[in-house]
Amino acid sequence: MRIKSIVVEELHGPLMVKEVELDTPKHNEVLIQVVGSGICHTDFAVKTGRIPSHFPIALGHEGAGIVKEIGPGVTGFSPGDHVVVSFPYCGHCKNCLTGHPSSCESSFPLSFGGKMLDGTYRIHDVQGKEVGSLFGQASLSSYVVSHTNNLVKVDPEVDLRLLGPLACGIQTGAGTVLNKLKPSVGESIVVFGCGGVGMSAVMGAQLASCSTIIAVDVVEERLALAKELGATHTLNGKTDDVVAKIREITGSGADYAVESVGNSVLVKQAVHAIRPGGKVALVGGSGETTLHIHDDLIAVNKSLIGVVEGDSIPSLFINSLISLYKKGQFPFDKLIRFYQLDELSQAVEDMHSGRTIKPVILF
């Protein structure tokens, strides 16, 4: 079928809305009409080559939509179901089988290689050239074909336009706190960066009953929203001595830190801002940095860990977050602004400027 999709033809190429051909779903695959899809910084990491990928590639990995057709072998999904389309995983490696699909041994090729789980493509341009599907979904499209591993059936009473960002950014931030760091009641945490991931970490920290939640950013409007969402303290990285202020607030440093920006300078600040025995979770795609292993980590018994997709099981965690949202305890809708497809350039500009935390393109 002919669909519209946001495609990058080559490394550093522009985002283009193109008409492409989408194949019918194969074994254990589903055709979904996309209602809305979030735009994530990972889409741009692919575009710029920060994350190596297949080109041309159709972008998007935060989709939500309605099942229109199921392929052979599909169970558990029917036409009309409302679904969130999350990350791919193989389902049979050790990490998948032990409840850590975000650490799937095939995660990188399945997410960024452009091919589906069976090693073939579902999207072609009008000349027949193969186009990759980011995260095995390419959700910045009017329709997608996805393996059932990616899918989360959700409550049809909740506004489906809101739910796509739960697939990646929101579950990453909240899951990093709730699934990986697991702070105890009354502990302290600092979150570097108040984008979609960082704000979700702030909300996760409030759900965990952290007594001190410090949000760090350089945009005052974002810091104000972080305060509204649960931060007890805010710091501006442009004007505050962040490490000194965190130590002043907490006494000996925070128990935990989350670095969500992908900035090597902030990684070092996070390590220096936690107490001896504290933990730093890295979720932003930063590059090389230099630490003194003995002084910064070993002598002070600090831990530095990487976290992907909040170490979540999407079918469980996303629905838990939706349940909390319905109760007014996880107001992630405050992060989202809607844009039509012809407003793509404005959505991207607003995201990069900080005006919009999480843009969602409506189809």
Side-chain angles (χ1 to χ4, degrees), residues 302-326:
K302 294 181 180 180
S303 300
L304 184 64
I305 57 174
V307 187
V308 177
E309 297 287 356
D311 196 22
S312 303
I313 301 174
S315 59
L316 300 178
F317 192 60
I318 286 175
N319 277 308
S320 294
L321 295 180
I322 291 173
S323 178
L324 290 165
Y325 165 71
K326 290 174 66 177

Short mmCIF file of all heavy atoms in Angstrom, two decimals, residues 302-326:
data_model
loop_
_atom_site.label_atom_id
_atom_site.label_comp_id
_atom_site.label_asym_id
_atom_site.label_seq_id
_atom_site.Cartn_x
_atom_site.Cartn_y
_atom_site.Cartn_z
N LYS A 302 31.62 4.46 44.00
CA LYS A 302 30.51 4.95 43.18
C LYS A 302 30.30 4.03 41.97
O LYS A 302 31.23 3.38 41.50
CB LYS A 302 30.78 6.38 42.70
CG LYS A 302 30.82 7.41 43.83
CD LYS A 302 31.07 8.80 43.29
CE LYS A 302 31.11 9.84 44.42
NZ LYS A 302 31.34 11.22 43.92
N SER A 303 29.07 4.01 41.49
CA SER A 303 28.71 3.17 40.34
C SER A 303 28.25 4.04 39.18
O SER A 303 27.50 5.00 39.36
CB SER A 303 27.59 2.20 40.69
OG SER A 303 27.96 1.34 41.75
N LEU A 304 28.70 3.68 37.99
CA LEU A 304 28.34 4.39 36.76
C LEU A 304 27.76 3.34 35.81
O LEU A 304 28.46 2.41 35.41
CB LEU A 304 29.58 5.04 36.16
CG LEU A 304 29.44 5.91 34.92
CD1 LEU A 304 28.59 7.13 35.19
CD2 LEU A 304 30.84 6.34 34.42
N ILE A 305 26.46 3.46 35.47
CA ILE A 305 25.82 2.43 34.68
C ILE A 305 25.09 3.04 33.49
O ILE A 305 24.64 4.18 33.52
CB ILE A 305 24.81 1.61 35.52
CG1 ILE A 305 23.74 2.53 36.14
CG2 ILE A 305 25.51 0.84 36.62
CD1 ILE A 305 22.63 1.79 36.85
N GLY A 306 25.00 2.27 32.41
CA GLY A 306 24.20 2.66 31.26
C GLY A 306 22.85 1.97 31.34
O GLY A 306 22.74 0.84 31.78
N VAL A 307 21.81 2.68 30.89
CA VAL A 307 20.45 2.13 30.93
C VAL A 307 19.78 2.38 29.58
O VAL A 307 19.81 3.50 29.06
CB VAL A 307 19.60 2.77 32.05
CG1 VAL A 307 18.26 2.05 32.17
CG2 VAL A 307 20.33 2.74 33.38
N VAL A 308 19.19 1.34 29.02
CA VAL A 308 18.46 1.45 27.75
C VAL A 308 16.97 1.22 28.01
O VAL A 308 16.60 0.25 28.68
CB VAL A 308 18.98 0.41 26.73
CG1 VAL A 308 18.17 0.47 25.44
CG2 VAL A 308 20.45 0.64 26.44
N GLU A 309 16.15 2.12 27.50
CA GLU A 309 14.68 1.98 27.57
C GLU A 309 14.17 1.71 28.99
O GLU A 309 13.16 1.05 29.20
CB GLU A 309 14.21 0.87 26.63
CG GLU A 309 14.49 1.12 25.16
CD GLU A 309 13.59 2.20 24.55
OE1 GLU A 309 12.69 2.69 25.25
OE2 GLU A 309 13.79 2.53 23.37
N GLY A 310 14.89 2.23 29.98
CA GLY A 310 14.44 2.11 31.36
C GLY A 310 14.41 0.70 31.89
O GLY A 310 13.76 0.43 32.90
N ASP A 311 15.16 -0.22 31.24
CA ASP A 311 15.16 -1.63 31.64
C ASP A 311 13.72 -2.12 31.83
O ASP A 311 13.39 -2.82 32.79
CB ASP A 311 15.97 -1.83 32.92
CG ASP A 311 16.34 -3.30 33.17
OD1 ASP A 311 16.34 -4.08 32.19
OD2 ASP A 311 16.62 -3.65 34.33
N SER A 312 12.86 -1.76 30.87
CA SER A 312 11.43 -2.02 31.01
C SER A 312 10.98 -3.25 30.22
O SER A 312 11.58 -3.62 29.21
CB SER A 312 10.63 -0.81 30.48
OG SER A 312 10.99 0.38 31.15
N ILE A 313 9.90 -3.84 30.68
CA ILE A 313 9.11 -4.77 29.89
C ILE A 313 7.91 -3.95 29.42
O ILE A 313 6.98 -3.68 30.19
CB ILE A 313 8.66 -5.98 30.72
CG1 ILE A 313 9.87 -6.73 31.27
CG2 ILE A 313 7.79 -6.91 29.88
CD1 ILE A 313 9.52 -7.86 32.22
N PRO A 314 7.92 -3.50 28.16
CA PRO A 314 6.93 -2.49 27.74
C PRO A 314 5.48 -2.87 27.99
O PRO A 314 4.68 -2.03 28.41
CB PRO A 314 7.22 -2.34 26.23
CG PRO A 314 8.67 -2.68 26.11
CD PRO A 314 8.89 -3.78 27.09
N SER A 315 5.11 -4.13 27.73
CA SER A 315 3.70 -4.52 27.88
C SER A 315 3.22 -4.37 29.31
O SER A 315 2.02 -4.17 29.56
CB SER A 315 3.48 -5.95 27.40
OG SER A 315 4.29 -6.86 28.12
N LEU A 316 4.15 -4.45 30.27
CA LEU A 316 3.79 -4.26 31.67
C LEU A 316 3.97 -2.81 32.11
O LEU A 316 3.07 -2.21 32.70
CB LEU A 316 4.65 -5.17 32.56
CG LEU A 316 4.54 -6.68 32.32
CD1 LEU A 316 5.50 -7.42 33.25
CD2 LEU A 316 3.12 -7.16 32.51
N PHE A 317 5.12 -2.24 31.79
CA PHE A 317 5.46 -0.94 32.34
C PHE A 317 4.64 0.18 31.72
O PHE A 317 4.16 1.09 32.42
CB PHE A 317 6.96 -0.67 32.16
CG PHE A 317 7.47 0.51 32.92
CD1 PHE A 317 7.37 0.56 34.30
CD2 PHE A 317 8.03 1.60 32.27
CE1 PHE A 317 7.84 1.65 35.02
CE2 PHE A 317 8.51 2.69 32.98
CZ PHE A 317 8.41 2.72 34.36
N ILE A 318 4.46 0.14 30.40
CA ILE A 318 3.69 1.20 29.75
C ILE A 318 2.26 1.22 30.28
O ILE A 318 1.70 2.29 30.56
CB ILE A 318 3.73 1.02 28.22
CG1 ILE A 318 5.13 1.43 27.70
CG2 ILE A 318 2.65 1.85 27.53
CD1 ILE A 318 5.34 1.19 26.23
N ASN A 319 1.66 0.06 30.46
CA ASN A 319 0.30 0.05 30.99
C ASN A 319 0.25 0.49 32.45
O ASN A 319 -0.74 1.08 32.89
CB ASN A 319 -0.32 -1.34 30.81
CG ASN A 319 -0.90 -1.52 29.42
OD1 ASN A 319 -1.69 -0.70 28.97
ND2 ASN A 319 -0.51 -2.58 28.74
N SER A 320 1.33 0.24 33.20
CA SER A 320 1.39 0.76 34.57
C SER A 320 1.41 2.29 34.57
O SER A 320 0.72 2.93 35.37
CB SER A 320 2.62 0.22 35.29
OG SER A 320 2.54 -1.16 35.48
N LEU A 321 2.19 2.87 33.65
CA LEU A 321 2.26 4.33 33.56
C LEU A 321 0.92 4.92 33.12
O LEU A 321 0.50 5.97 33.62
CB LEU A 321 3.37 4.74 32.60
CG LEU A 321 4.80 4.39 33.02
CD1 LEU A 321 5.79 4.85 31.96
CD2 LEU A 321 5.16 4.99 34.37
N ILE A 322 0.23 4.24 32.20
CA ILE A 322 -1.08 4.71 31.78
C ILE A 322 -2.07 4.68 32.95
O ILE A 322 -2.86 5.60 33.14
CB ILE A 322 -1.59 3.87 30.60
CG1 ILE A 322 -0.75 4.16 29.35
CG2 ILE A 322 -3.07 4.17 30.31
CD1 ILE A 322 -1.06 3.26 28.17
N SER A 323 -2.01 3.62 33.74
CA SER A 323 -2.88 3.52 34.91
C SER A 323 -2.62 4.67 35.88
O SER A 323 -3.56 5.28 36.42
CB SER A 323 -2.67 2.17 35.60
OG SER A 323 -3.46 2.06 36.77
N LEU A 324 -1.34 4.98 36.11
CA LEU A 324 -1.00 6.09 36.99
C LEU A 324 -1.45 7.42 36.40
O LEU A 324 -1.90 8.32 37.12
CB LEU A 324 0.51 6.10 37.24
CG LEU A 324 1.04 4.95 38.10
CD1 LEU A 324 2.56 4.85 37.98
CD2 LEU A 324 0.64 5.14 39.56
N TYR A 325 -1.33 7.56 35.09
CA TYR A 325 -1.80 8.78 34.41
C TYR A 325 -3.29 8.98 34.63
O TYR A 325 -3.76 10.09 34.94
CB TYR A 325 -1.48 8.70 32.92
CG TYR A 325 -2.19 9.71 32.07
CD1 TYR A 325 -1.85 11.06 32.13
CD2 TYR A 325 -3.24 9.33 31.22
CE1 TYR A 325 -2.52 12.00 31.35
CE2 TYR A 325 -3.90 10.27 30.45
CZ TYR A 325 -3.55 11.60 30.52
OH TYR A 325 -4.22 12.52 29.76
N LYS A 326 -4.06 7.90 34.51
CA LYS A 326 -5.51 7.99 34.68
C LYS A 326 -5.87 8.42 36.10
O LYS A 326 -6.92 9.04 36.32
CB LYS A 326 -6.16 6.65 34.34
CG LYS A 326 -6.11 6.31 32.85
CD LYS A 326 -6.64 4.91 32.59
CE LYS A 326 -8.11 4.78 32.90
NZ LYS A 326 -8.63 3.42 32.58
#
